[in-house]
Amino acid sequence: MNKLSFILIITILISVISCNSKEGNYKEVHYQAINGNDTAVIALKISDKRFYGRYEISYYKFGKDSGDVRGDIKGDTLRGDFHYISNGGSWKRIPLALLKKDNKLIQGSGIIGTYMSLPCFLPGTLTYKDPKFVFEEKK
């Protein structure tokens, strides 16, 4: 019994240590973008394959959209969703696509649809031309 208990404790410790080490691989970065009088700020925790964080868009004289972002990273593209309260109203969820280029994040746009009740850009509509926001890293 003692040997079995020892093996069980060692197994649990190894699991806890490996789970904690995976959480430590996230790097925190902050970005800001300005478009006319509107300002957007995004604070992300980024790993090799995933990201999550907070995103806020302040509209001049109209309020703000504020909420959480999360998603996957494939190459130089961050794709996920933005779950937010719109101008102090109701909760909304929209797709989010960011292209990393020259230490900047370029926000993509496209036609929004749903797939399995999740928002997404319809195939072939996502573009990074004429972005609403181009984020620059804040140090």
Side-chain angles (χ1 to χ4, degrees):
M1 278 300 224
N2 283 343
K3 188 175 184 180
L4 182 59
S5 298
F6 178 75
I7 292 173
L8 181 62
I9 291 172
I10 294 297
T11 305
I12 291 172
L13 284 174
I14 290 173
S15 316
V16 169
I17 291 170
S18 67
C19 288
N20 287 338
S21 66
K22 288 180 186 174
E23 290 178 19
N25 292 334
Y26 281 89
K27 174 184 159 189
E28 188 167 349
V29 290
H30 297 263
Y31 292 91
Q32 181 178 18
I34 299 172
N35 182 0
N37 290 325
D38 300 338
T39 303
V41 177
I42 190 166
L44 297 175
K45 294 197 180 194
I46 300 175
S47 74
D48 292 336
K49 296 181 181 180
R50 305 252 330 133
F51 72 92
Y52 67 94
R54 298 281 302 161
Y55 184 23
E56 182 174 292
I57 305 168
S58 297
Y59 302 103
Y60 182 68
K61 293 187 179 181
F62 290 109
K64 65 180 178 180
D65 293 342
S66 172
D68 298 320
V69 294
R70 65 180 175 159
D72 297 320
I73 300 172
K74 292 183 182 168
D76 57 357
T77 306
L78 290 75
R79 290 192 65 173
D81 62 46
F82 176 33
H83 188 219
Y84 66 101
I85 296 179
S86 176
N87 285 323
S90 61
W91 282 96
K92 294 184 179 182
R93 185 180 303 268
I94 60 171
L96 177 71
L98 301 166
L99 177 66
K100 192 169 189 173
K101 186 175 184 181
D102 300 327
N103 290 328
K104 294 180 182 181
L105 293 178
I106 302 168
Q107 186 171 348
S109 61
I111 298 172
I112 298 173
T114 57
Y115 178 72
M116 297 180 67
S117 299
L118 294 174
C120 62
F121 293 110
L122 294 180
T125 66
L126 179 59
T127 180
Y128 296 96
K129 294 179 182 176
D130 300 320
K132 182 172 182 178
F133 291 112
V134 177
F135 293 90
E136 294 187 20
E137 188 173 351
K138 289 173 49 177
K139 302 274 177 173

